[in-house]
């Protein structure tokens, strides 16, 4: 039965296209603008599993020469729906969608080096509709590349590499891939003068001091300081770098200025007016288990507040905190839809996430819903309520009562950094510049546990099953911890990168904060404790590796992502009920799986180009756990289902 | 915040994150709201704009502080009678030394057509 309804062109909130940090806004800024589908009364479409219909779509994908194409992505979206379902072809070029609700479907098939090809189908009668695709070759391969395919294709041995193979790729990876995907800028070509102009702007943006704080008053003012010679880890730089006016450059700008000449020369050489003889090296297409998955992507509404997704229906419900402290519920949130901006057509290239509707975090609830909180950092308490931060404090969303409670940080206290967690006693933990805070919700009181190494830029935070809070200190390659039962604090140090060639000067450059790092640095960013096990897993964003730490012995084991995947910016590791570690990749359109028993990585495809995943979660309720992936660019969150059991 | 993940805001986000919603009457009608694309070409143009022009033509506090942005968000550009497709195309291709890069090596002719279609309604 056909249950979709047409989109209604209607009111939508005006997108705020730039940041106005300290001003309140909300979904209530209604503006009569067309172009947006208020998906009012929208019901069910495109469900992979819980569909009532048993009808499906299947077929074969071949290249123009008639050969079956393995590992091609086939996607479909029902008219009026905000969900997209994708599957991949097998060795015979065959694909098959799981049962889909009746409706009119737009379909498209694509693979790197081939032209995206579209079709339309209606599901109303019969069991399976057949739709074959023939994909012609695609000439401008560079337009379709994933970030790590760019890294694979860029040369290793230019004069700027200074005899250290791959040095410049890494310099770019460490300096230009945090604020936006690196593939976003590699797709551009400019003259030397224009690359210099861009570099100047980037260097300026990087100089935003992050996160020096003043430990007396613990105030946010310090982070607005553009010039400072404060060094990550404490103290000041031995040799200050001064700008033309004699003011000391901050840690991040120092790195940008140190590499400036090489970056401009290299980018002009490989992405300048003269076409560089680039050999486009693309990743192998997914095969076997990696191709045997279903990815369902749900569009995320506008609004930047808490959204609750019902995976069974795809319905989003939006909750907003009112000025009076009350909670408003909206069952028909507004969406901003422009399919050229959502990454579904890979030949449109990689977008920057600044202007996108993005979802940084996600948490699978215990009540069958998936929660999409605003901001960065989230956890569930023992009752299944969702915690995050905002409005100047820790925030609890009571999932039954559907209300927010804000636990304000005392006035004058340094704000939260990114990581948040809840311990077995229901106490809320958050990273902060000085270490970690713990909130006791019964009293509303916060306690600060200072880190051993100061100014390490505490980033992600997790609480293990023995109530130790762990936080990654991204700027100093350390993982700090606080024993919540004894109050003891300590830290584990990650050794510098030793297996990648670099010059002595590279080795001597000082650390940055979060935007960039020297190329010997690792940059532990997010971490998660195994809720059933004895290890904390951290991923090093710049270094491209996973670190495993025993929660009692503190023993450290490291696993580097193989080959080109090293450039994928592993983001958050999450351990499922089978002990498998799932890792989001923010600079590769892949989801990584690491099996600690075999010490092997497998990479699963994500059907959106430049999706830039962040804080993921696993749903352990199905027999084969499912992975949920929020996209920071492309305005979607995805559910990844495995048709073969990867844990078998 | 509506687009909360602008990286320059990341720090502030971690601190304040999310704020109570303004009452409905407040904030409605900021003068500088870009037009919303309707046709396919305008939508394509919007995407190209977001990929190439926002560094300088979409404002933020940080971009202002660090002198990154130009003086115009290019909203209502074509309301000026003197603005012609040819002048805009030439500017995009040639740029302005030291201020705006030339996009002649980056954008294909068709992409500039789409961009212009979008700038007309932005």
């Amino acid at each position: 039965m056909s249950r979709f309804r047409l989109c209604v062109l209607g009111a939508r909130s005006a997108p705020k296209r730039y940041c106005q940090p300290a001003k309140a806004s909300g979904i209530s800024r209604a503006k009569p603008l067309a172009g947006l589908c208020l998906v009012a009364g929208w019901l069910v479409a495109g469900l992979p599993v819980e569909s009532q219909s048993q009808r499906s779509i299947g077929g074969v994908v071949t290249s123009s020469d008639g050969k079956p194409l393995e590992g091609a992505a086939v996607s479909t979206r029902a008219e009026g729906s905000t969900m997209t379902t994708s599957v991949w072809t097998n060795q015979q070029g065959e694909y098959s969608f799981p049962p889909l609700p009746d409706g009119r479907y737009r379909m498209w098939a694509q693979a790197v080096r081939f032209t995206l090809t579209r079709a339309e189908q209606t599901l109303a009668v019969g069991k399976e509709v057949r739709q074959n695709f023939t994909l012609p070759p695609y000439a401008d391969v560079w337009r379709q590349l994933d970030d790590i395919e760019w890294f694979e294709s860029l040369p290793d041995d230019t004069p700027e590499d200074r005899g250290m193979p791959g040095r410049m790729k890494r310099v770019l990876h460490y300096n230009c891939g945090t604020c936006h995907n690196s593939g976003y800028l590699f797709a551009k070509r400019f003259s030397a003068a224009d690359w210099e102009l861009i570099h100047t702007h980037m260097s300026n943006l990087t100089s935003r001091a992050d996160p020096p704080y003043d430990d007396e008053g613990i105030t946010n003012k310090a982070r607005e300081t553009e010039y400072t010679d404060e060094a990550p880890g404490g103290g000041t730089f031995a040799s200050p770098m001064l700008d033309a006016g004699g003011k000391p450059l901050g840690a991040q700008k120092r790195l940008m200025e140190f590499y400036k000449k090489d970056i401009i020369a290299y980018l002009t050489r490989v992405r300048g007016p003269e076409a560089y003889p680039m050999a486009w090296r693309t990743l192998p297409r997914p095969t076997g288990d990696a191709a045997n998955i279903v990815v369902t992507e749900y569009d995320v509404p506008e609004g930047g507040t808490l959204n609750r997704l019902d995976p069974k229906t795809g319905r989003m419900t939006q909750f907003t905190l009112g000025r009076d402290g009350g909670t408003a519920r909206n069952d028909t949130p507004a969406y901003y839809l422009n399919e050229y901006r959502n990454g579904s057509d890979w030949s449109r290239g990689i977008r920057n996430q600044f202007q996108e509707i993005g979802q940084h975090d996600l948490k699978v609830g215990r009540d069958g819903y998936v929660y999409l909180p605003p901001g960065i950092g989230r956890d569930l308490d023992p009752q299944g309520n969702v915690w995050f931060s905002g409005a100047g404090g820790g925030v609890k969303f009571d999932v039954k009562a559907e209300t927010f409670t804000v636990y304000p940080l005392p006035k004058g206290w340094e704000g939260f950094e990114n990581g948040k967690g809840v311990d077995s006693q229901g106490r809320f933990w958050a990273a902060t510049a000085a270490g970690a805070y713990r909130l006791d919700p019964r009293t509303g009181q916060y306690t600060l546990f200072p880190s051993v190494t100061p100014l390490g830029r505490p980033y992600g935070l997790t609480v293990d099953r023995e109530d130790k809070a762990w936080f990654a200190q991204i700027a100093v390659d350390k993982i700090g911890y606080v024993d919540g039962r004894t109050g003891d604090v300590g830290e584990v140090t990650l050794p510098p990168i030793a297996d990648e060639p670099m010059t002595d000067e590279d080795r001597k450059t000082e650390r940055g904060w979060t935007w960039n790092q020297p190329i010997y640095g690792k940059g532990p960013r997010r971490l998660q404790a195994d809720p059933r096990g004895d290890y904390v897993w951290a991923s090093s964003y710049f270094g491209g590796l996973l670190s495993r730490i025993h929660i009692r012995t503190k023993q450290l084991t490291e696993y580097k992502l193989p080959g080109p995947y090293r450039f994928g910016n592993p983001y958050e590791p999450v351990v499922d009920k089978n002990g498998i570690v799932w890792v989001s990749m923010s600079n590769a359109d892949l989801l990584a799986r690491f099996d600690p028993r075999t010490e092997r990585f497998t990479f699963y495809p994500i059907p959106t180009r430049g999706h830039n995943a962040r804080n993921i979660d696993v749903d352990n309720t199905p027999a084969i756990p499912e992975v949920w992936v929020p996209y920071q660019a492309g305005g979607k969150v995805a559910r990844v289902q495995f048709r073969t059991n990867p844990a078998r | 915040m509506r687009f909360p993940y602008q990286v320059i805001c990341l720090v502030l986000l971690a601190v304040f994150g999310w704020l109570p919603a303004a009452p409905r009457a407040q904030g409605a009608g900021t003068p500088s709201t870009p037009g919303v694309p309707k046709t396919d070409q305008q939508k394509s143009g919007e995407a190209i704009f977001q990929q190439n022009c926002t560094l300088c033509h979409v404002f933020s506090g940080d971009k202002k502080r660090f002198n990154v942005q130009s003086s115009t968000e290019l909203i209502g550009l074509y309301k000026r009678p003197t603005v012609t497709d040819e002048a805009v195309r030439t500017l995009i291709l040639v740029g302005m030394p030291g201020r705006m890069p030339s996009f002649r090596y980056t954008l294909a002719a068709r992409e500039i057509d789409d961009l212009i279609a979008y700038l007309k309604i932005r």
Side-chain angles (χ1 to χ4, degrees):
Chain A
M1 64 181 182
S2 177
R3 297 192 40 191
F4 69 81
R5 292 198 201 150
L6 276 179
C7 275
V8 184
L9 286 185
R12 80 162 163 107
S13 309
K16 189 151 29 75
R17 309 241 166 194
Y18 56 97
C19 184
Q20 288 182 334
K23 223 173 88 189
S25 75
I27 53 162
S28 46
R29 287 187 164 203
K31 263 242 160 105
L33 287 172
L36 163 102
C37 295
L38 235 193
V39 189
W42 168 71
L43 291 167
V44 189
L47 282 179
V49 172
E50 292 95 339
S51 151
Q52 289 127 334
S53 146
Q54 280 312 302
R55 280 186 273 277
S56 179
I57 313 177
V60 178
V61 180
T62 48
S63 50
S64 303
D65 57 10
K67 293 212 181 86
L69 210 55
E70 185 187 11
V74 186
S75 305
T76 191
R77 183 167 166 123
E79 220 168 282
S81 172
T82 49
M83 291 158 64
T84 307
T85 309
S86 298
V87 294
W88 282 259
T89 53
N90 66 14
Q91 255 187 323
Q92 286 73 45
E94 293 159 358
Y95 73 89
S96 70
F97 279 100
L100 298 164
D102 285 357
R104 180 131 193 89
Y105 285 84
R106 288 197 298 127
M107 306 181 63
W108 58 99
Q110 61 190 327
V112 174
R113 297 182 185 278
F114 294 90
T115 304
L116 180 145
T117 304
R118 296 183 187 278
E120 284 193 20
Q121 280 293 351
T122 301
L123 278 189
V125 289
K127 222 175 151 43
E128 195 198 57
V129 169
R130 301 289 296 170
Q131 176 66 55
N132 296 340
F133 292 90
T134 305
L135 308 191
Y138 185 75
D140 294 338
V141 184
W142 60 272
R143 290 183 186 273
Q144 301 176 318
L145 297 187
D146 173 287
D147 301 86
I148 59 179
E149 291 173 321
W150 273 108
F151 280 110
E152 273 288 85
S153 304
L154 291 171
D156 264 347
D157 52 357
T158 65
E160 294 74 44
D161 287 296
R162 300 182 186 278
M164 302 291 161
R167 172 181 182 263
M168 280 316 292
K169 286 186 194 178
R170 279 178 278 121
V171 166
L172 290 164
H173 175 71
Y174 277 79
N175 284 284
C176 310
T178 303
C179 298
H180 38 62
N181 294 48
S182 31
Y184 158 66
L185 64 104
F186 294 146
K188 299 164 189 280
R189 287 172 59 185
F190 295 117
S191 66
D194 286 347
W195 274 121
E196 179 165 0
L197 167 65
I198 303 273
H199 188 282
T200 302
H201 285 330
M202 296 305 134
S203 183
N204 288 343
L205 287 169
T206 312
S207 72
R208 184 192 215 295
D210 167 39
Y213 68 105
D214 116 31
D215 45 359
E216 278 299 299
I218 309 186
T219 152
N220 283 312
K221 277 197 197 110
R223 72 178 66 241
E224 297 298 334
T225 325
E226 192 175 334
Y227 293 98
T228 171
D229 56 358
E230 250 180 312
T236 53
F237 291 112
S239 49
M241 243 168 107
L242 304 178
D243 77 348
K247 289 188 280 184
L249 302 184
Q252 302 181 140
K253 190 153 176 151
R254 285 168 64 102
L255 274 163
M256 286 295 245
E257 293 304 310
F258 178 77
Y259 283 116
K260 177 173 183 165
K261 275 209 181 79
D262 281 357
I263 287 179
I264 294 168
Y266 183 87
L267 286 173
T268 309
R269 182 183 305 283
V270 300
R271 300 306 290 155
E274 307 286 323
Y276 188 86
M278 202 89 80
W280 300 116
R281 300 197 10 215
T282 53
L283 293 177
R285 290 195 299 274
T287 177
D289 283 351
N292 207 1
I293 63 174
V294 180
V295 177
T296 311
E297 299 178 313
Y298 303 80
D299 290 349
V300 174
E302 288 190 85
T305 184
L306 180 85
N307 287 297
R308 187 185 71 190
L309 166 65
D310 181 351
K312 292 194 197 72
T313 60
R315 204 190 296 252
M316 291 275 187
T317 306
Q318 199 164 64
F319 297 94
T320 334
L321 175 68
R323 282 264 161 89
D324 59 356
T327 304
R329 174 181 163 141
N330 179 2
D331 289 301
T332 54
Y335 291 81
Y336 183 76
L337 304 173
N338 177 347
E339 65 183 277
Y340 296 111
R341 290 178 60 184
N342 70 7
S344 64
D345 177 348
W346 304 343
S347 70
R348 301 292 307 199
I350 295 173
R351 303 154 311 287
N352 82 66
Q353 65 270 27
F354 299 87
Q355 314 299 332
E356 303 290 329
I357 297 171
Q359 186 64 33
H360 195 283
D361 277 63
L362 172 154
K363 197 75 195 160
V364 176
R366 296 218 184 92
D367 50 3
Y369 291 112
V370 174
Y371 290 89
L372 279 49
I376 301 177
R378 78 297 179 228
D379 206 356
L380 295 183
D381 68 16
Q383 286 72 44
N385 299 312
V386 183
W387 284 80
F388 57 98
S389 70
V395 182
K396 175 171 100 170
F397 180 69
D398 185 316
V399 296
K400 286 208 191 80
E402 299 186 354
T403 51
F404 293 112
T405 310
V406 180
Y407 297 86
L409 259 178
K411 275 230 154 38
W413 283 41
E414 176 73 17
F416 298 125
E417 294 297 351
N418 311 32
K420 316 279 148 48
V422 181
D423 68 18
S424 69
Q425 305 304 304
R427 288 173 302 198
F428 173 74
W429 290 79
T432 179
Y437 287 138
R438 186 177 68 191
L439 160 74
D440 187 339
R442 284 164 302 209
T443 61
Q445 249 180 17
Y446 283 89
T447 312
L448 170 69
F449 297 91
S451 53
V452 175
T453 298
L455 286 182
R457 187 33 167 114
Y459 212 88
L461 178 144
T462 183
V463 184
D464 70 24
R465 61 180 180 151
E466 296 177 353
D467 286 349
K468 274 194 277 300
W470 298 77
F471 49 92
Q473 292 182 272
I474 188 172
V476 292
D477 287 357
K478 288 174 191 290
I479 313 250
Y481 59 85
V482 181
D483 188 326
R485 294 178 188 165
T486 63
D488 289 347
V489 295
E491 65 186 19
V492 175
T493 302
L494 311 185
I497 291 207
D499 62 343
E500 296 178 341
M502 57 190 85
T503 66
D504 289 343
E505 282 70 38
D506 293 333
R507 258 181 259 277
K508 278 187 232 139
T509 54
E510 313 253 13
R511 299 208 180 249
W513 298 110
T514 51
W515 304 150
N516 56 0
Q517 282 297 329
I519 61 177
Y520 61 79
K522 286 187 174 158
R525 194 157 177 174
R526 294 284 167 190
L527 68 188
Q528 285 293 333
D530 179 351
R532 295 158 204 84
D534 289 335
Y535 293 101
V536 163
W537 291 85
S539 63
S540 281
Y541 185 79
F542 296 105
L545 44 94
L546 274 184
S547 304
R548 189 187 75 169
I549 301 169
H550 194 281
I551 59 174
R552 286 183 297 274
T553 66
K554 318 290 177 333
Q555 195 198 17
L556 168 74
T557 316
E558 294 195 302
Y559 305 94
K560 185 150 181 165
L561 274 69
Y565 301 97
R566 175 256 177 277
F567 287 109
N569 292 117
Y571 202 83
E572 191 178 53
V574 177
V575 188
D576 74 14
K577 65 180 176 188
N578 301 317
I580 297 294
V581 187
W582 295 94
V583 193
S584 52
M585 306 274 282
S586 49
N587 268 346
D589 293 321
L590 300 166
L591 169 70
R593 169 187 186 274
F594 180 72
D595 185 340
R597 284 161 298 221
T598 60
E599 303 192 347
R600 281 189 49 159
F601 286 93
T602 314
F603 297 92
Y604 293 84
I606 295 285
T608 288
R609 185 54 80 238
H611 78 301
N612 203 324
R614 301 281 153 156
N615 288 343
I616 59 172
D617 202 6
V618 288
D619 182 357
N620 281 308
T621 40
I624 305 175
E626 298 172 356
V627 184
W628 283 86
V629 184
Y631 299 178
Q632 202 187 211
K636 293 174 272 194
V637 299
R639 171 196 217 171
V640 183
Q641 293 171 299
F642 305 88
R643 289 165 140 179
T644 46
N645 190 349
R648 128 211 98 185
Chain B
M1 270 175 234
R2 205 162 298 279
F3 289 94
Y5 304 118
Q6 276 179 292
V7 84
I8 303 307
C9 303
L10 280 182
V11 175
L12 284 159
L13 258 172
V15 181
F16 304 109
W18 147 99
L19 295 155
R24 190 168 280 271
Q26 272 193 13
T30 43
S32 57
T33 307
V36 174
K38 290 183 190 70
T39 68
D40 218 41
Q41 191 183 28
Q42 291 162 1
K43 286 183 181 175
S44 167
E46 187 197 42
I48 294 163
F49 183 87
Q50 301 296 342
Q51 273 172 315
N52 295 281
C53 317
T54 51
L55 171 61
C56 307
H57 294 297
V58 173
F59 294 176
S60 77
D62 282 306
K63 291 183 199 172
K64 181 161 187 240
R65 190 147 71 91
F66 297 121
N67 258 334
V68 170
Q69 68 199 28
S70 94
S71 60
T72 167
E73 286 201 275
L74 299 176
I75 293 169
L77 176 72
Y78 270 81
K79 293 209 177 97
R80 290 212 309 262
T82 47
V83 172
T84 64
D85 289 4
E86 259 339 285
V88 172
R89 184 182 304 275
T90 306
L91 179 62
I92 294 170
L93 288 172
V94 176
M96 280 176 276
R99 303 188 71 197
M100 170 166 155
S102 148
F103 287 89
R104 77 171 71 197
Y105 311 111
T106 295
L107 297 177
R110 226 198 107 175
E111 291 177 293
I112 299 182
D113 292 343
D114 292 3
L115 196 46
I116 287 175
Y118 170 66
L119 287 174
K120 285 186 175 157
I121 59 99
R122 180 173 161 83

